[in-house]
Amino acid sequence: MKKLLCAAGLSIALAVSAGAQAADKIAVVNVSSIFQQLPARATVAKQLENEFKGRATELQGMERDLQTKMQRLQRDGSTMKASERSRMEKDVMAQREAFSSKAQAFEQDNRRRQAEERNKILSRIQDAVQKVADDEGYDVVIDANAVAYAAKSKDITADVLKQVK
């Protein structure tokens, strides 16, 4: 009798659980596809390029100057006076260190700004996903890249893209 009650209780629990899971309405969205198709992405890329153009040009000039000095030192170093050669080597080393630190700061700033702008766009996409899910009554929306299979009828990518644009 005890086993029968336990089995009946377990069956009811499984049935209720299955019923609750069946009630969830699930959709998929391809966030990376939306990100790639957004016109704002190209605008932001152009904005960032303009923002960092001056520093990039300065770094390129520093690099060319450094290469010129290194080539001159390599070419003429054997015929220079020891003191002149030593001075030029120190100058090249100092310039190399300055270039390296400026290049590293440039890369860090560039990466940070790109991440900021990417996060703004992804936030807009997330808001659009939430709005479409609310409008269409979806309980769960999963990124299409994390799903092995989903029916085309469950893909809300186009709706979200319209919402974001």
Side-chain angles (χ1 to χ4, degrees):
M1 185 71 173
K2 232 179 186 182
K3 286 183 180 179
L4 184 61
L5 283 176
C6 186
L10 186 58
S11 298
I12 291 172
L14 286 174
V16 168
S17 174
Q21 287 177 346
D24 287 342
K25 195 170 172 192
I26 300 173
V28 294
V29 64
N30 193 333
V31 175
S32 60
S33 173
I34 294 170
F35 186 80
Q36 293 300 321
Q37 293 179 43
L38 280 179
R41 188 181 65 83
T43 305
V44 167
K46 192 74 164 167
Q47 175 188 352
L48 288 174
E49 182 182 321
N50 290 336
E51 184 177 326
F52 287 97
K53 187 184 248 181
R55 286 175 67 185
T57 304
E58 178 187 354
L59 282 172
Q60 289 170 345
M62 283 179 74
E63 185 179 29
R64 278 192 303 274
D65 187 41
L66 182 60
Q67 286 177 347
T68 302
K69 284 183 179 181
M70 288 173 64
Q71 288 172 351
R72 181 170 175 251
L73 181 62
Q74 195 173 31
R75 183 184 63 231
D76 300 337
S78 60
T79 60
M80 290 180 173
K81 292 180 185 175
S83 61
E84 186 180 347
R85 183 171 184 219
S86 175
R87 182 185 52 77
M88 191 167 195
E89 286 174 347
K90 286 179 184 175
D91 185 40
V92 166
M93 292 293 271
Q95 194 171 355
R96 183 184 295 164
E97 287 177 21
F99 172 76
S100 179
S101 66
K102 278 190 175 188
Q104 188 175 14
F106 173 81
E107 286 297 321
Q108 287 175 347
D109 291 347
N110 193 4
R111 264 189 260 120
R112 180 185 50 76
R113 284 288 293 132
Q114 285 181 1
E116 286 173 5
E117 295 300 326
R118 183 176 49 250
N119 288 340
K120 286 179 188 176
I121 292 172
L122 289 174
S123 178
R124 284 182 46 211
I125 293 171
Q126 181 63 35
D127 292 343
V129 167
Q130 190 169 1
K131 181 164 180 12
V132 169
D134 289 344
D135 291 349
E136 296 185 17
Y138 288 108
D139 298 315
V140 177
V141 178
I142 302 171
D143 192 346
N145 294 325
V147 176
Y149 171 78
K152 291 286 184 198
S153 63
K154 299 289 186 179
D155 192 342
I156 61 170
T157 301
D159 297 334
V160 172
L161 186 58
K162 288 177 195 171
Q163 185 71 34
V164 174
K165 284 185 176 180

